[in-house]
Amino acid sequence: MTETAPRPTLEAVAERAGVSRATVSRVVNGSHGVREALAERVRRAVEELGYVPNQAARSLVTRRHRAVAVVAAEPETRVFADPYFAQQLRGISKELTAHDNQLVLLLTEGREDHARVGRYLAGGHVDGALVFSLHLDDPLPGLVRSAGVPTVFGGRPDWDDGRGGVVYVDSDNRGGARSAVHHLAGLGRTRIAHITGPLDQTSAADRLAGFRDVRAGADPGLIAQGDFTPGGGERAMRELLDRCPGLDAVFAANDLTAAGALRVLRERGRRVPQDVAVVGFDDMLPVAEQTDPPLTTVRQDIEGMGRLMARLLLRGLDGTAADDDTETPSATAPGVVLPTTLVHRATA
Amino acid sequence: MTETAPRPTLEAVAERAGVSRATVSRVVNGSHGVREALAERVRRAVEELGYVPNQAARSLVTRRHRAVAVVAAEPETRVFADPYFAQQLRGISKELTAHDNQLVLLLTEGREDHARVGRYLAGGHVDGALVFSLHLDDPLPGLVRSAGVPTVFGGRPDWDDGRGGVVYVDSDNRGGARSAVHHLAGLGRTRIAHITGPLDQTSAADRLAGFRDVRAGADPGLIAQGDFTPGGGERAMRELLDRCPGLDAVFAANDLTAAGALRVLRERGRRVPQDVAVVGFDDMLPVAEQTDPPLTTVRQDIEGMGRLMARLLLRGLDGTAADDDTETPSATAPGVVLPTTLVHRATA
DNA sequence: GTGAAAGCGCTAACAC
DNA sequence: GTGTTAGCGCTTTCAC
């Protein structure tokens, strides 16, 4: 653990370049109206001294931090159960980095942490927040609101279906579900079952809604609750098979669930896809490609969601972000819903 | 995206409490030598105004940021392939939070990012860094060194086997591997194979070393290279079976590898554990409990590693951290190696 | 014990 | 165009 040497200041650079601090500041911040000759001298001095701006001093006057908080409830969401959150993080990180912003990670473990996060956000330490709020009664959204920090949500917050000006990014869960079920129906399957996710999460609720869109009058016995885990998928599949031995297709709310269902199907002697066709959701590669047989599933662009969240936030912060990108949605849209695509493998 | 209101300053609190800024500062920072009556008045004013210290202003004078960078190479490590890194992050987050430090996440995607990270670290934006460096020729460690930031590494850096003052936290990979192989031998197995991880990572190399410690004269044909993925495990297992059809045990370098090996074993008609006993490494619950049969494996306390890394760093920064904890290692130890334990399930 | 005052390093008016 | 100046909100000697 080496001791960190005193860094050169603007002052030092100015002296070395034989100009004023203001001029150095202008050059460093890329503002125009500095004669090229001078600018060059300054740049050289910066280089020679290894000058790096002191962000604390800068923040003190600009009130900008070039930092964004990412808030996620760790135990409640499936944050670490599958690579879902990790991929979003990756997208977020890329986008923030591209615009020279830092990522401050705030993980909450329970109620006690909420106060801390609220205080931090309200403390004006970051310019904005990216919040993952997937549960019905999540206190986080309210907290963030009252903290008065510009925020973009990951996943449709259930408490705001279009009224408020809540900005969020989500996958087209409902449309994706529809396409999955349509595909199954197109295969000639008539007894299509659905294993849901935990229905207090909007993504799970939306996928169920999509299923119902296509199978309006479906036998309720063909719907079983899962929880986005393989174990939940197994339980639900057994239940389904007991209730409706004649089912010929299953739409699972996510890939992990489908993996569990597949195991039970094999255990019960059903051939996939001949006897029972299966479609998942997510297209988590490590899961979907490793199932036996490989899983047909609905792909969502998870990393893209993360990138978009960051982009939207940055854009709200100032006119700085990614105007070059065609994906940028209309400025008035409260929520942005990314399309999904069906990936054909072997289970349906 | 609400507009953020102007926050109250120290000045405002001082005025309200009828004292000087200095006194408020003392109270806020918990320094002694302020009469209780005054202190109480100040606290009330802080409360009423909802005062939160401006960290930028504070950092400007103290040169401390109460922030730590976590640096990880995203594509190279298996950061997001399994929940390994996520769990470490969780441990780190908990520990940092407990000591009121923030976590700045720096993900690198390739060479281009190294310069950025180096600049950031050298820029004095954080008080220290937690760096995950698992590869032989990783440029990150060097970068961090020259940035002159207090650092703790995650995993034994290969380029420093005890000489320099490098602080790191690692699992007892070698000892854990030994216990796995001893267990297999204790079961009476005599033709024990090993599927390695990518040998440019110290963890994989150390596990191989542990295997060799116990099976000194082992037939080289009983060792096959994997890459910590299920696919790699499958390939290696096939290779092994082709070379030595009579093998009766396999020690896989991690659980994912073991999962792949298990599939091939079943496909080739070997019963587990009757014909071939299998032991993994990591005890990643979603994997180890879901294999068929459930996997016997070497558990490492991943979250604990993360916590310890943070604790060590914080301790180095000042005398602030976790002196209350018995796990804190001796001040002179360059690296800390956490014990592993064998978890018995059904494969061995 | 408490207050007054001097900066920390930077940006942004405002002069020149 | 470039320099001068006044703070941003806080901690910290140093008097009292």
Side-chain angles (χ1 to χ4, degrees), chain B residues 82-244:
Chain B
D82 63 41
Y84 190 93
F85 177 64
Q87 273 185 244
Q88 301 223 46
L89 250 193
R90 181 177 181 175
I92 290 170
S93 167
K94 277 187 183 166
E95 188 70 20
L96 290 183
T97 290
H99 295 93
D100 200 31
N101 275 71
Q102 297 311 321
L103 191 172
V104 177
L105 187 61
L106 264 31
L107 260 22
T108 70
E109 300 272 342
R111 314 300 278 198
E112 337 73 79
D113 286 344
H114 293 328
R116 169 177 64 85
V117 170
R119 218 179 313 122
Y120 184 75
L121 258 24
H125 299 305
V126 289
D127 302 323
L130 262 18
V131 178
F132 292 88
S133 158
L134 306 161
H135 282 261
L136 265 166
D137 57 346
D138 196 328
L140 240 31
L143 250 175
V144 175
R145 274 217 122 129
S146 65
V149 188
T151 301
V152 173
F153 287 90
R156 177 173 71 76
D158 77 286
W159 39 270
D160 190 309
D161 298 62
R163 38 188 166 91
V166 190
V167 183
Y168 70 85
V169 174
D170 204 354
S171 274
D172 183 10
N173 289 306
R174 190 160 182 167
R178 273 197 298 256
S179 74
V181 182
H182 270 138
H183 175 65
L184 258 10
L187 259 26
R189 309 293 166 141
T190 55
R191 301 199 52 81
I192 304 176
H194 176 43
I195 304 179
T196 73
L199 292 175
D200 63 331
Q201 296 188 20
T202 55
S203 59
D206 290 351
R207 290 169 201 180
L208 171 57
F211 173 82
R212 287 196 165 126
D213 286 345
V214 182
R215 312 294 288 178
D219 173 1
L222 282 170
I223 297 177
Q225 274 224 31
D227 56 6
F228 279 156
T229 71
E234 291 183 0
R235 273 190 301 279
M237 192 68 244
R238 287 202 183 93
E239 210 180 287
L240 248 18
L241 249 18
D242 290 344
R243 267 200 313 251
C244 317

Side-chain angles (χ1 to χ4, degrees), chain A residues 262 272 278 287-297 344-348:
Chain A
L262 246 22
V272 176
V278 176
V287 179
E289 288 184 334
Q290 295 295 330
T291 57
D292 180 22
L295 190 66
T296 292
T297 188
H344 296 264
R345 292 207 181 82
T347 57

Side-chain angles (χ1 to χ4, degrees), chain A residues 121-145:
Chain A
L121 256 25
H125 300 305
V126 290
D127 302 323
L130 262 19
V131 178
F132 292 88
S133 158
L134 306 162
H135 283 262
L136 266 167
D137 57 347
D138 197 328
L140 240 31
L143 249 175
V144 175
R145 274 219 121 127

Side-chain angles (χ1 to χ4, degrees), chain A residues 104-127:
Chain A
V104 178
L105 187 61
L106 263 32
L107 261 22
T108 69
E109 300 272 341
R111 314 300 278 197
E112 337 74 78
D113 287 344
H114 292 329
R116 170 178 62 86
V117 170
R119 217 179 314 123
Y120 184 76
L121 256 25
H125 300 305
V126 290
D127 302 323

Side-chain angles (χ1 to χ4, degrees), chain B residues 20-21 23 26 33-35 38 63:
Chain B
S20 73
R21 272 152 49 206
T23 298
R26 289 183 186 111
V34 175
R35 217 160 1 203
L38 270 199
R63 280 131 193 307

